[in-house]
Amino acid sequence: MPLFETPPPVRPISLPQEVHDAAANARYAPAPAGLYTPTVDDATLEVFRRAVDPDDPYELRDLWLGRVEHRLGARALRPEQAERWRSSTVHRQTTAEDVLTSRATVRFVKELFNSYFRDDLYGLLRPQAEYVLSGGSVDEEHWGLPETIKDTLRYALSRDWYGYSDSCGRVPAREAVAAYESARIADVTYTAQNVALTMGGTFAVSSLADFVLSGSAHSSPALCAIPNYPPLVEAIARRTPVRLVPVSSDAGVMSVDPVIAALTPDTPFVMLQTAANPTGAGVAEADLERLIRAASPNTMILLDECHEWLGPKQVFSKVRAASNVIRVSSLSKNWSAPGVKAGWIMADAAFIASYYEYASTSFGGPPSFLYTAIEVLARMERWMITGVTDVGAAELAEFEKTYELRQAGLQAAYDSYCQERNTREAALTTLRAAGGARLAEVAHVLRPEYSINTAAVFDRWDDSYLCFRELLGETGVSVYPGILNFGFGSGVVRLTTARAWPDLGQALDRIRANVRRDEVVHA
Protein backbone atom coordinates (compact mmCIF):
# COMPACT_ATOMS: atom_id res chain seq x y z
CA MET A 1 0.00 0.00 0.00
CA PRO A 2 1.65 3.28 -1.05
CA LEU A 3 2.02 6.17 1.33
CA PHE A 4 -0.08 9.13 0.13
CA GLU A 5 -2.05 6.93 -2.24
CA THR A 6 -4.93 9.37 -1.76
CA PRO A 7 -4.06 13.10 -1.76
CA PRO A 8 -4.42 14.53 1.76
CA PRO A 9 -7.16 17.15 2.09
CA VAL A 10 -6.27 20.71 3.03
CA ARG A 11 -7.67 21.99 6.31
CA PRO A 12 -9.61 25.19 5.59
CA ILE A 13 -8.18 28.13 7.53
CA SER A 14 -9.64 31.61 7.36
CA LEU A 15 -10.21 34.62 9.61
CA PRO A 16 -12.88 37.32 9.54
CA GLN A 17 -11.92 40.63 7.95
CA GLU A 18 -12.19 42.39 11.31
CA VAL A 19 -9.24 40.32 12.57
CA HIS A 20 -7.07 41.37 9.64
CA ASP A 21 -8.11 44.99 10.16
CA ALA A 22 -7.29 44.86 13.87
CA ALA A 23 -3.91 43.28 13.17
CA ALA A 24 -3.05 45.82 10.48
CA ASN A 25 -3.81 48.68 12.86
CA ALA A 26 -2.12 47.17 15.92
CA ARG A 27 -0.39 49.74 18.11
CA TYR A 28 1.68 48.99 21.18
CA ALA A 29 2.76 51.74 23.53
CA PRO A 30 6.37 51.30 24.72
CA ALA A 31 6.40 49.23 27.89
CA PRO A 32 8.35 50.66 30.85
CA ALA A 33 11.87 49.19 30.96
CA GLY A 34 12.14 46.25 33.31
CA LEU A 35 8.38 45.70 33.54
CA TYR A 36 8.78 42.09 32.35
CA THR A 37 11.87 41.29 34.40
CA PRO A 38 11.06 38.74 37.15
CA THR A 39 12.35 40.82 40.04
CA VAL A 40 12.14 39.40 43.56
CA ASP A 41 10.12 42.20 45.14
CA ASP A 42 9.20 42.87 48.76
CA ALA A 43 5.87 41.05 48.40
CA THR A 44 7.74 37.89 47.39
CA LEU A 45 10.22 38.31 50.23
CA GLU A 46 7.33 38.69 52.67
CA VAL A 47 6.15 35.16 51.90
CA PHE A 48 9.59 33.76 52.72
CA ARG A 49 9.83 35.91 55.85
CA ARG A 50 6.52 34.62 57.17
CA ALA A 51 7.15 30.93 56.53
CA VAL A 52 7.83 28.94 59.67
CA ASP A 53 10.08 26.77 57.52
CA PRO A 54 11.29 28.64 54.41
CA ASP A 55 12.63 25.36 53.03
CA ASP A 56 9.10 23.91 52.90
CA PRO A 57 7.73 24.55 49.38
CA TYR A 58 4.21 23.53 50.37
CA GLU A 59 4.09 26.11 53.12
CA LEU A 60 5.38 28.76 50.71
CA ARG A 61 2.68 27.80 48.20
CA ASP A 62 -0.05 27.94 50.81
CA LEU A 63 1.12 31.32 52.08
CA TRP A 64 1.17 32.75 48.56
CA LEU A 65 -2.34 31.45 47.88
CA GLY A 66 -3.47 32.55 51.33
CA ARG A 67 -2.38 36.10 50.59
CA VAL A 68 -4.40 35.99 47.36
CA GLU A 69 -7.46 34.69 49.20
CA HIS A 70 -7.02 37.43 51.82
CA ARG A 71 -6.93 40.12 49.16
CA LEU A 72 -10.03 38.69 47.51
CA GLY A 73 -11.95 39.53 50.66
CA ALA A 74 -15.60 38.50 50.49
CA ARG A 75 -14.95 36.70 47.19
CA ALA A 76 -12.45 34.28 48.76
CA LEU A 77 -13.26 30.65 48.05
CA ARG A 78 -10.89 29.18 50.61
CA PRO A 79 -11.25 31.30 53.78
CA GLU A 80 -9.02 28.94 55.74
CA GLN A 81 -6.11 29.88 53.46
CA ALA A 82 -6.82 33.57 53.95
CA GLU A 83 -6.84 33.08 57.71
CA ARG A 84 -3.52 31.26 57.52
CA TRP A 85 -1.99 34.31 55.85
CA ARG A 86 -3.52 36.74 58.33
CA SER A 87 -2.29 34.71 61.29
CA SER A 88 1.27 34.38 59.97
CA THR A 89 4.05 36.57 61.33
CA VAL A 90 7.53 37.55 60.24
CA HIS A 91 10.17 35.06 61.42
CA ARG A 92 13.31 36.29 59.66
CA GLN A 93 14.83 38.64 57.14
CA THR A 94 15.36 37.29 53.64
CA THR A 95 17.18 38.60 50.58
CA ALA A 96 16.49 38.24 46.87
CA GLU A 97 19.62 36.13 46.58
CA ASP A 98 18.23 33.74 49.20
CA VAL A 99 15.10 33.31 47.12
CA LEU A 100 16.92 32.85 43.81
CA THR A 101 19.24 30.17 45.19
CA SER A 102 16.79 28.26 47.39
CA ARG A 103 15.83 24.74 46.40
CA ALA A 104 12.43 25.44 47.96
CA THR A 105 11.77 28.30 45.52
CA VAL A 106 11.83 26.05 42.48
CA ARG A 107 9.58 23.46 44.08
CA PHE A 108 7.25 26.12 45.50
CA VAL A 109 6.64 27.59 42.04
CA LYS A 110 6.17 24.08 40.62
CA GLU A 111 3.62 23.29 43.36
CA LEU A 112 1.85 26.58 42.65
CA PHE A 113 1.83 25.55 38.97
CA ASN A 114 0.30 22.19 39.94
CA SER A 115 -2.30 23.84 42.16
CA TYR A 116 -3.27 26.30 39.43
CA PHE A 117 -4.11 23.58 36.92
CA ARG A 118 -5.22 20.75 39.20
CA ASP A 119 -7.06 22.56 42.01
CA ASP A 120 -8.11 25.90 40.50
CA LEU A 121 -8.49 26.16 36.72
CA TYR A 122 -9.54 22.54 36.15
CA GLY A 123 -10.76 21.98 39.69
CA LEU A 124 -12.86 24.23 41.88
CA LEU A 125 -12.94 27.13 39.40
CA ARG A 126 -13.64 25.18 36.22
CA PRO A 127 -17.35 26.13 36.10
CA GLN A 128 -16.38 29.81 35.97
CA ALA A 129 -13.94 29.44 33.06
CA GLU A 130 -16.01 30.12 29.94
CA TYR A 131 -12.95 31.19 27.94
CA VAL A 132 -9.57 29.61 28.64
CA LEU A 133 -6.73 31.79 27.32
CA SER A 134 -4.16 30.19 29.59
CA GLY A 135 -3.40 26.91 27.85
CA GLY A 136 -0.15 27.82 26.09
CA SER A 137 -0.93 25.74 23.00
CA VAL A 138 -3.09 26.12 19.90
CA ASP A 139 -6.70 25.14 19.55
CA GLU A 140 -6.02 21.81 17.87
CA GLU A 141 -9.47 21.62 16.28
CA HIS A 142 -8.69 24.75 14.25
CA TRP A 143 -4.91 24.59 13.78
CA GLY A 144 -3.86 21.04 14.51
CA LEU A 145 -1.42 18.75 12.75
CA PRO A 146 -1.31 19.15 8.97
CA GLU A 147 -3.43 16.56 7.19
CA THR A 148 -0.31 15.23 5.47
CA ILE A 149 1.19 14.31 8.85
CA LYS A 150 -2.07 12.78 10.02
CA ASP A 151 -1.89 10.53 6.95
CA THR A 152 1.54 9.31 8.02
CA LEU A 153 0.17 8.30 11.42
CA ARG A 154 -2.70 6.39 9.87
CA TYR A 155 -0.26 4.77 7.44
CA ALA A 156 2.16 3.67 10.17
CA LEU A 157 -0.64 2.07 12.16
CA SER A 158 -2.02 0.32 9.06
CA ARG A 159 1.46 -1.17 8.48
CA ASP A 160 1.74 -2.19 12.16
CA TRP A 161 4.88 -0.11 12.62
CA TYR A 162 4.91 0.05 16.40
CA GLY A 163 7.57 -2.48 17.39
CA TYR A 164 10.89 -2.11 19.17
CA SER A 165 13.42 0.25 17.63
CA ASP A 166 16.74 1.98 18.15
CA SER A 167 16.79 3.81 21.49
CA CYS A 168 17.59 7.12 19.77
CA GLY A 169 15.00 6.60 17.04
CA ARG A 170 14.90 5.00 13.61
CA VAL A 171 17.87 6.05 11.47
CA PRO A 172 15.94 7.37 8.41
CA ALA A 173 13.90 9.66 10.66
CA ARG A 174 17.05 10.86 12.40
CA GLU A 175 18.70 11.46 9.02
CA ALA A 176 15.71 13.55 7.94
CA VAL A 177 15.89 15.64 11.13
CA ALA A 178 19.65 16.07 10.69
CA ALA A 179 19.19 17.35 7.13
CA TYR A 180 16.42 19.72 8.24
CA GLU A 181 18.47 21.13 11.12
CA SER A 182 21.50 21.48 8.84
CA ALA A 183 19.41 23.71 6.58
CA ARG A 184 18.66 25.98 9.55
CA ILE A 185 22.20 26.52 10.76
CA ALA A 186 25.15 28.18 9.03
CA ASP A 187 28.18 26.14 7.98
CA VAL A 188 27.15 23.00 9.89
CA THR A 189 26.24 19.58 8.53
CA TYR A 190 24.55 17.32 11.03
CA THR A 191 24.23 13.56 10.60
CA ALA A 192 21.97 11.00 12.24
CA GLN A 193 24.66 10.64 14.90
CA ASN A 194 23.81 14.15 16.13
CA VAL A 195 20.11 13.34 16.65
CA ALA A 196 18.09 11.53 19.28
CA LEU A 197 14.32 11.41 18.95
CA THR A 198 12.49 12.03 22.20
CA MET A 199 9.05 11.97 23.78
CA GLY A 200 8.50 15.73 23.69
CA GLY A 201 10.26 18.74 25.16
CA THR A 202 9.50 18.32 28.88
CA PHE A 203 10.55 14.69 28.82
CA ALA A 204 13.69 15.56 26.85
CA VAL A 205 14.83 18.16 29.38
CA SER A 206 14.12 15.84 32.31
CA SER A 207 16.03 12.97 30.74
CA LEU A 208 18.95 15.24 29.80
CA ALA A 209 19.15 16.65 33.33
CA ASP A 210 19.17 13.13 34.69
CA PHE A 211 21.81 11.99 32.21
CA VAL A 212 24.14 15.00 32.55
CA LEU A 213 23.78 15.90 36.22
CA SER A 214 23.00 12.77 38.22
CA GLY A 215 25.63 10.83 40.09
CA SER A 216 28.20 13.56 40.68
CA ALA A 217 28.53 16.58 42.95
CA HIS A 218 29.05 20.04 41.50
CA SER A 219 30.85 22.92 43.17
CA SER A 220 28.71 25.54 41.42
CA PRO A 221 24.95 25.57 40.80
CA ALA A 222 23.28 25.08 37.46
CA LEU A 223 21.91 28.31 36.00
CA CYS A 224 18.30 28.58 34.85
CA ALA A 225 17.22 31.81 33.21
CA ILE A 226 13.80 33.03 34.31
CA PRO A 227 11.04 33.39 33.25
CA ASN A 228 10.97 29.69 32.53
CA TYR A 229 8.68 26.66 32.54
CA PRO A 230 8.48 25.16 36.08
CA PRO A 231 8.61 21.45 35.10
CA LEU A 232 11.89 22.05 33.26
CA VAL A 233 13.53 23.91 36.13
CA GLU A 234 12.27 21.39 38.69
CA ALA A 235 13.75 18.55 36.61
CA ILE A 236 17.17 20.19 36.88
CA ALA A 237 16.81 21.12 40.55
CA ARG A 238 16.12 17.49 41.44
CA ARG A 239 19.63 16.59 40.27
CA THR A 240 21.77 19.55 41.32
CA PRO A 241 21.55 22.93 43.09
CA VAL A 242 20.08 25.64 40.88
CA ARG A 243 20.45 29.40 40.74
CA LEU A 244 17.57 31.25 39.10
CA VAL A 245 18.80 34.12 36.91
CA PRO A 246 16.25 36.85 36.13
CA VAL A 247 16.56 38.16 32.58
CA SER A 248 14.76 41.12 31.06
CA SER A 249 12.42 41.08 28.08
CA ASP A 250 12.42 44.61 26.73
CA ALA A 251 11.33 45.62 23.21
CA GLY A 252 10.91 41.95 22.29
CA VAL A 253 14.52 41.05 23.10
CA MET A 254 15.59 38.83 25.99
CA SER A 255 18.93 39.75 27.54
CA VAL A 256 21.53 37.05 28.30
CA ASP A 257 23.88 39.42 30.13
CA PRO A 258 22.74 38.30 33.61
CA VAL A 259 23.40 34.67 32.66
CA ILE A 260 26.87 35.52 31.37
CA ALA A 261 27.59 37.44 34.58
CA ALA A 262 26.54 34.42 36.67
CA LEU A 263 28.79 31.94 34.82
CA THR A 264 31.81 30.48 36.58
CA PRO A 265 34.41 28.04 35.22
CA ASP A 266 32.68 25.35 37.32
CA THR A 267 29.10 26.00 36.21
CA PRO A 268 27.93 22.52 35.21
CA PHE A 269 24.76 23.36 33.30
CA VAL A 270 22.84 26.28 31.82
CA MET A 271 19.21 26.09 30.72
CA LEU A 272 17.88 28.86 28.49
CA GLN A 273 14.67 29.21 26.51
CA THR A 274 15.70 30.90 23.26
CA ALA A 275 12.23 32.49 23.09
CA ALA A 276 10.82 33.34 26.49
CA ASN A 277 7.64 31.93 27.91
CA PRO A 278 5.47 33.94 28.57
CA THR A 279 6.72 37.09 26.83
CA GLY A 280 7.66 35.74 23.39
CA ALA A 281 10.86 37.79 23.53
CA GLY A 282 13.77 36.21 21.68
CA VAL A 283 17.50 36.02 22.27
CA ALA A 284 19.48 37.80 19.56
CA GLU A 285 21.77 35.38 17.76
CA ALA A 286 24.82 37.54 18.48
CA ASP A 287 23.97 37.51 22.20
CA LEU A 288 23.55 33.75 22.16
CA GLU A 289 27.00 33.50 20.59
CA ARG A 290 28.43 35.63 23.41
CA LEU A 291 26.87 33.35 26.01
CA ILE A 292 28.13 30.12 24.44
CA ARG A 293 31.63 31.52 23.93
CA ALA A 294 31.74 32.87 27.50
CA ALA A 295 30.91 29.50 29.04
CA SER A 296 33.54 26.92 29.90
CA PRO A 297 33.79 24.05 27.39
CA ASN A 298 32.82 21.83 30.32
CA THR A 299 29.56 23.72 30.90
CA MET A 300 26.67 22.00 29.14
CA ILE A 301 24.27 24.57 27.66
CA LEU A 302 20.74 23.39 27.00
CA LEU A 303 18.76 25.53 24.56
CA ASP A 304 15.02 25.02 24.73
CA GLU A 305 13.98 26.11 21.22
CA CYS A 306 10.35 24.97 21.49
CA HIS A 307 8.89 28.50 21.59
CA GLU A 308 11.17 29.83 18.84
CA TRP A 309 8.55 29.84 16.09
CA LEU A 310 5.96 32.18 14.57
CA GLY A 311 8.63 34.84 14.45
CA PRO A 312 11.51 36.17 12.36
CA LYS A 313 13.08 33.65 10.01
CA GLN A 314 16.80 33.44 10.65
CA VAL A 315 19.76 31.21 9.98
CA PHE A 316 21.20 30.02 13.26
CA SER A 317 24.81 30.64 14.17
CA LYS A 318 27.12 27.65 14.01
CA VAL A 319 27.87 28.06 17.72
CA ARG A 320 24.52 26.36 18.37
CA ALA A 321 26.30 23.24 17.16
CA ALA A 322 29.17 23.59 19.66
CA SER A 323 30.18 20.39 21.42
CA ASN A 324 28.80 21.60 24.77
CA VAL A 325 25.41 22.74 23.41
CA ILE A 326 22.25 20.62 23.41
CA ARG A 327 19.25 21.83 21.42
CA VAL A 328 15.71 20.67 22.22
CA SER A 329 12.77 20.77 19.79
CA SER A 330 9.22 19.47 20.08
CA LEU A 331 6.06 19.01 18.03
CA SER A 332 4.03 20.55 20.87
CA LYS A 333 4.12 24.18 19.76
CA ASN A 334 5.22 24.62 16.16
CA TRP A 335 3.23 21.62 14.92
CA SER A 336 0.29 21.95 17.33
CA ALA A 337 0.58 18.49 18.83
CA PRO A 338 1.34 18.69 22.58
CA GLY A 339 -0.39 15.38 23.23
CA VAL A 340 1.67 13.47 20.65
CA LYS A 341 4.77 13.82 22.85
CA ALA A 342 7.38 13.78 20.12
CA GLY A 343 10.50 15.80 19.40
CA TRP A 344 14.26 15.57 19.18
CA ILE A 345 17.53 16.73 20.63
CA MET A 346 20.54 17.88 18.63
CA ALA A 347 23.98 17.50 20.16
CA ASP A 348 27.56 16.46 19.57
CA ALA A 349 27.84 12.94 18.14
CA ALA A 350 29.85 11.73 21.14
CA PHE A 351 27.16 13.04 23.49
CA ILE A 352 24.39 11.27 21.55
CA ALA A 353 26.41 8.04 21.56
CA SER A 354 26.62 8.19 25.35
CA TYR A 355 22.96 9.20 25.64
CA TYR A 356 22.03 6.01 23.75
CA GLU A 357 22.96 3.88 26.75
CA TYR A 358 20.96 6.13 29.06
CA ALA A 359 17.93 5.95 26.75
CA SER A 360 18.08 2.19 26.34
CA THR A 361 18.26 1.76 30.11
CA SER A 362 15.74 4.41 31.17
CA PHE A 363 12.90 4.28 28.66
CA GLY A 364 13.90 2.00 25.80
CA GLY A 365 13.11 4.42 23.02
CA PRO A 366 10.50 6.84 21.65
CA PRO A 367 7.20 5.56 20.19
CA SER A 368 8.09 3.85 16.94
CA PHE A 369 4.80 4.50 15.12
CA LEU A 370 5.73 8.23 15.08
CA TYR A 371 8.88 7.78 13.02
CA THR A 372 7.22 8.13 9.61
CA ALA A 373 5.50 11.32 10.75
CA ILE A 374 8.77 12.83 11.98
CA GLU A 375 10.61 11.78 8.83
CA VAL A 376 8.03 13.26 6.45
CA LEU A 377 7.67 16.42 8.54
CA ALA A 378 11.42 17.02 8.67
CA ARG A 379 11.94 16.41 4.96
CA MET A 380 9.08 18.69 3.94
CA GLU A 381 10.19 21.43 6.33
CA ARG A 382 13.66 21.29 4.78
CA TRP A 383 12.23 21.47 1.28
CA MET A 384 10.28 24.58 2.26
CA ILE A 385 13.41 26.21 3.71
CA THR A 386 15.49 25.43 0.64
CA GLY A 387 12.82 26.59 -1.83
CA VAL A 388 11.66 23.28 -3.28
CA THR A 389 8.30 23.63 -5.06
CA ASP A 390 8.25 20.67 -7.42
CA VAL A 391 8.98 17.23 -6.05
CA GLY A 392 11.37 15.41 -8.33
CA ALA A 393 13.34 12.20 -8.46
CA ALA A 394 15.82 13.45 -5.85
CA GLU A 395 13.10 14.12 -3.29
CA LEU A 396 11.41 10.81 -4.04
CA ALA A 397 14.72 8.99 -3.55
CA GLU A 398 15.04 10.33 0.00
CA PHE A 399 12.41 7.81 1.10
CA GLU A 400 12.81 4.06 1.36
CA LYS A 401 11.16 1.86 -1.24
CA THR A 402 9.01 0.24 1.44
CA TYR A 403 6.81 3.37 1.38
CA GLU A 404 5.96 2.61 -2.28
CA LEU A 405 5.77 6.35 -2.85
CA ARG A 406 4.80 7.73 -6.23
CA GLN A 407 5.89 11.15 -7.39
CA ALA A 408 2.35 12.42 -7.94
CA GLY A 409 1.25 11.31 -4.48
CA LEU A 410 4.27 12.87 -2.81
CA GLN A 411 3.74 16.11 -4.74
CA ALA A 412 0.11 16.29 -3.66
CA ALA A 413 1.04 15.62 -0.05
CA TYR A 414 3.77 18.28 -0.14
CA ASP A 415 1.46 20.85 -1.75
CA SER A 416 -1.11 20.19 0.97
CA TYR A 417 1.52 20.46 3.69
CA CYS A 418 2.91 23.75 2.37
CA GLN A 419 -0.53 25.30 2.00
CA GLU A 420 -1.57 24.34 5.52
CA ARG A 421 1.70 25.44 7.09
CA ASN A 422 1.69 28.83 5.35
CA THR A 423 -1.97 29.67 5.93
CA ARG A 424 -1.79 28.44 9.53
CA GLU A 425 1.28 30.54 10.31
CA ALA A 426 -0.26 33.61 8.72
CA ALA A 427 -3.50 33.12 10.65
CA LEU A 428 -1.81 32.62 14.00
CA THR A 429 0.41 35.66 13.48
CA THR A 430 -2.62 37.75 12.56
CA LEU A 431 -4.57 36.52 15.60
CA ARG A 432 -1.65 37.37 17.86
CA ALA A 433 -1.43 40.89 16.47
CA ALA A 434 -5.19 41.45 16.63
CA GLY A 435 -5.38 40.11 20.17
CA GLY A 436 -2.46 42.22 21.27
CA ALA A 437 -4.05 45.32 19.74
CA ARG A 438 -7.23 44.84 21.75
CA LEU A 439 -5.30 44.20 24.95
CA ALA A 440 -3.08 47.23 24.39
CA GLU A 441 -6.12 49.48 24.82
CA VAL A 442 -6.30 48.60 28.53
CA ALA A 443 -2.91 47.07 29.43
CA HIS A 444 0.82 47.31 28.94
CA VAL A 445 1.50 44.73 26.23
CA LEU A 446 4.91 43.49 25.15
CA ARG A 447 4.87 42.87 21.41
CA PRO A 448 5.96 39.22 21.13
CA GLU A 449 8.61 38.28 18.61
CA TYR A 450 7.77 34.58 18.80
CA SER A 451 5.12 32.05 19.89
CA ILE A 452 1.35 32.26 20.30
CA ASN A 453 1.52 33.93 23.70
CA THR A 454 1.20 37.58 24.65
CA ALA A 455 2.27 39.04 27.99
CA ALA A 456 0.24 41.87 29.54
CA VAL A 457 0.33 43.96 32.71
CA PHE A 458 -2.79 45.72 33.98
CA ASP A 459 -2.35 48.74 36.24
CA ARG A 460 -4.99 47.34 38.59
CA TRP A 461 -2.99 44.27 39.65
CA ASP A 462 0.48 43.91 41.16
CA ASP A 463 0.04 40.14 41.75
CA SER A 464 -0.46 37.90 38.71
CA TYR A 465 -2.30 35.16 40.60
CA LEU A 466 -4.73 37.71 42.04
CA CYS A 467 -5.21 39.03 38.50
CA PHE A 468 -6.12 35.52 37.34
CA ARG A 469 -8.61 35.00 40.16
CA GLU A 470 -10.34 38.37 39.84
CA LEU A 471 -10.52 38.36 36.05
CA LEU A 472 -11.91 34.83 36.08
CA GLY A 473 -14.51 35.68 38.69
CA GLU A 474 -15.58 38.91 37.00
CA THR A 475 -15.34 37.99 33.30
CA GLY A 476 -15.25 34.19 32.99
CA VAL A 477 -11.88 34.48 31.20
CA SER A 478 -8.87 32.53 32.45
CA VAL A 479 -5.38 34.00 32.04
CA TYR A 480 -2.08 32.43 33.05
CA PRO A 481 -0.33 34.03 36.07
CA GLY A 482 3.28 35.00 35.41
CA ILE A 483 4.35 33.74 38.86
CA LEU A 484 3.90 30.23 37.45
CA ASN A 485 6.92 30.92 35.23
CA PHE A 486 8.92 32.52 38.05
CA GLY A 487 7.55 35.96 37.23
CA PHE A 488 8.13 37.43 40.67
CA GLY A 489 7.36 41.01 41.48
CA SER A 490 4.74 42.02 38.94
CA GLY A 491 1.23 41.40 37.69
CA VAL A 492 2.38 39.96 34.35
CA VAL A 493 -0.12 37.49 32.91
CA ARG A 494 0.02 35.44 29.73
CA LEU A 495 -2.77 35.12 27.19
CA THR A 496 -2.70 32.53 24.44
CA THR A 497 -4.23 33.95 21.25
CA ALA A 498 -4.37 30.75 19.14
CA ARG A 499 -8.11 30.36 19.60
CA ALA A 500 -11.09 30.64 17.29
CA TRP A 501 -11.79 34.35 16.81
CA PRO A 502 -15.40 34.24 18.07
CA ASP A 503 -14.07 32.95 21.41
CA LEU A 504 -10.90 35.03 21.51
CA GLY A 505 -12.63 38.24 20.49
CA GLN A 506 -15.41 37.76 23.05
CA ALA A 507 -12.92 36.97 25.82
CA LEU A 508 -10.82 40.05 25.07
CA ASP A 509 -13.92 42.24 24.89
CA ARG A 510 -14.92 41.05 28.35
CA ILE A 511 -11.48 41.85 29.73
CA ARG A 512 -11.49 45.31 28.15
CA ALA A 513 -14.97 46.11 29.46
CA ASN A 514 -14.03 44.91 32.96
CA VAL A 515 -10.82 46.92 33.15
CA ARG A 516 -12.46 50.07 31.77
CA ARG A 517 -15.33 49.73 34.22
CA ASP A 518 -12.85 49.40 37.06
CA GLU A 519 -11.02 52.52 35.86
CA VAL A 520 -14.28 54.48 35.94
CA VAL A 521 -15.14 53.20 39.44
CA HIS A 522 -11.74 54.28 40.77
CA ALA A 523 -11.54 57.56 38.85
Side-chain angles (χ1 to χ4, degrees):
M1 177 178 65
L3 177 61
F4 304 133
E5 185 174 24
T6 303
V10 176
R11 181 196 299 264
I13 299 175
S14 63
L15 296 173
Q17 186 58 43
E18 66 174 304
V19 184
H20 294 283
D21 293 342
N25 297 315
R27 298 290 184 271
Y28 297 80
L35 185 63
Y36 299 95
T37 303
T39 305
V40 178
D41 65 343
D42 194 64
T44 304
L45 294 174
E46 189 70 5
V47 170
F48 283 79
R49 292 169 185 154
R50 288 173 176 249
V52 174
D53 180 2
D55 293 325
D56 181 350
Y58 301 98
E59 183 184 6
L60 295 171
R61 176 202 62 190
D62 292 342
L63 283 171
W64 192 286
L65 292 175
R67 183 180 62 189
V68 170
E69 294 287 347
H70 166 67
R71 294 183 67 182
L72 284 167
R75 293 169 295 178
L77 296 176
R78 300 181 179 94
E80 70 283 358
Q81 286 188 339
E83 181 55 35
R84 178 169 186 170
W85 171 257
R86 286 191 291 267
S87 63
S88 64
T89 59
V90 172
H91 294 279
R92 72 194 56 79
Q93 291 303 308
T94 305
T95 67
E97 186 66 13
D98 294 331
V99 172
L100 295 172
T101 56
S102 169
R103 171 67 180 95
T105 300
V106 176
R107 187 55 184 268
F108 141 60
V109 173
K110 178 58 167 60
E111 290 300 330
L112 196 60
F113 175 92
N114 293 345
S115 181
Y116 169 80
F117 284 106
R118 179 191 61 219
D119 305 325
D120 281 354
L121 180 58
Y122 296 112
L124 183 64
L125 304 178
R126 185 63 185 93
Q128 298 181 34
E130 298 178 62
Y131 299 101
V132 177
L133 302 186
S134 50
S137 63
V138 301
D139 181 337
E140 292 84 7
E141 292 184 8
H142 290 84
W143 298 284
L145 275 172
E147 293 297 326
T148 293
I149 304 305
K150 288 184 181 179
D151 265 11
T152 67
L153 298 174
R154 288 187 281 264
Y155 182 79
L157 289 174
S158 72
R159 297 290 300 270
D160 295 313
W161 287 348
Y162 38 75
Y164 288 121
S165 70
D166 186 285
S167 293
C168 286
R170 191 166 182 265
V171 170
R174 292 165 63 192
E175 289 175 339
V177 170
Y180 163 56
E181 292 289 1
S182 296
R184 303 174 71 203
I185 195 164
D187 303 320
V188 169
T189 302
Y190 288 118
T191 70
Q193 284 65 49
N194 296 109
V195 183
L197 303 186
T198 68
M199 293 184 283
T202 300
F203 171 84
V205 172
S206 180
S207 67
L208 288 165
D210 194 38
F211 173 57
V212 173
L213 297 170
S214 293
S216 58
H218 304 283
S219 57
S220 295
L223 304 179
C224 292
I226 57 173
N228 215 315
Y229 188 52
L232 308 185
V233 182
E234 172 65 18
I236 296 167
R238 287 181 180 182
R239 278 86 181 189
T240 195
V242 161
R243 187 187 192 284
L244 303 175
V245 183
V247 298
S248 64
S249 295
D250 292 321
V253 178
M254 183 169 55
S255 172
V256 298
D257 289 340
V259 182
I260 293 174
L263 284 170
T264 74
D266 298 320
T267 299
F269 199 82
V270 173
M271 202 271 280
L272 175 71
Q273 292 187 308
T274 54
N277 178 12
T279 64
V283 177
E285 204 67 17
D287 289 342
L288 189 59
E289 281 196 50
R290 289 195 299 113
L291 169 63
I292 294 171
R293 296 189 190 283
S296 163
N298 297 319
T299 299
M300 298 304 297
I301 299 176
L302 190 152
L303 301 180
D304 174 7
E305 299 177 349
C306 296
H307 287 270
E308 197 171 356
W309 66 291
L310 214 64
K313 306 296 184 185
Q314 61 176 337
V315 176
F316 294 155
S317 165
K318 65 181 179 181
V319 297
R320 292 203 192 202
S323 60
N324 63 329
V325 173
I326 311 163
R327 300 169 54 208
V328 176
S329 294
S330 167
L331 270 63
S332 293
K333 309 301 181 187
N334 200 353
W335 288 277
S336 310
V340 171
K341 300 300 180 188
W344 55 82
I345 61 175
M346 306 297 300
D348 185 74
F351 181 91
I352 296 296
S354 298
Y355 180 78
Y356 174 93
E357 165 56 24
Y358 171 86
S360 66
T361 301
S362 301
F363 59 91
S368 56
F369 86 98
L370 297 175
Y371 294 156
T372 301
I374 293 172
E375 179 182 357
V376 169
L377 178 151
R379 295 197 191 284
M380 290 187 176
E381 287 289 326
R382 188 187 91 246
W383 297 345
M384 291 179 71
I385 290 173
T386 56
V388 172
T389 55
D390 297 322
V391 171
E395 287 74 31
L396 196 64
E398 293 183 26
F399 294 94
E400 297 170 279
K401 294 187 182 299
T402 187
Y403 288 125
E404 302 178 44
L405 274 166
R406 300 187 181 97
Q407 188 168 333
L410 184 58
Q411 181 72 62
Y414 180 51
D415 289 344
S416 173
Y417 185 84
C418 292
Q419 184 175 340
E420 276 201 60
R421 287 287 281 161
N422 289 332
T423 56
R424 171 182 173 275
E425 183 166 313
L428 291 175
T429 302
T430 301
L431 274 172
R432 186 179 67 191
R438 288 204 173 184
L439 275 173
E441 296 176 20
V442 294
H444 304 283
V445 175
L446 182 70
R447 184 191 294 272
E449 288 293 308
Y450 296 94
S451 88
I452 52 174
N453 298 317
T454 297
V457 179
F458 300 92
D459 289 335
R460 173 179 164 186
W461 292 284
D462 58 4
D463 181 299
S464 61
Y465 211 97
L466 180 65
C467 178
F468 152 67
R469 286 291 304 275
E470 292 195 333
L471 271 180
L472 181 62
E474 296 168 13
T475 69
V477 180
S478 166
V479 297
Y480 180 91
I483 179 58
L484 303 186
N485 281 24
F486 303 93
F488 305 111
S490 73
V492 176
V493 294
R494 186 191 77 190
L495 299 94
T496 299
T497 56
R499 296 288 181 268
W501 179 249
D503 290 342
L504 177 63
Q506 178 65 27
L508 294 175
D509 284 346
R510 289 192 184 188
I511 290 174
R512 290 192 305 168
N514 175 268
V515 174
R516 284 173 173 157
R517 183 169 59 250
D518 180 74
E519 290 172 348
V520 170
V521 169
H522 291 89

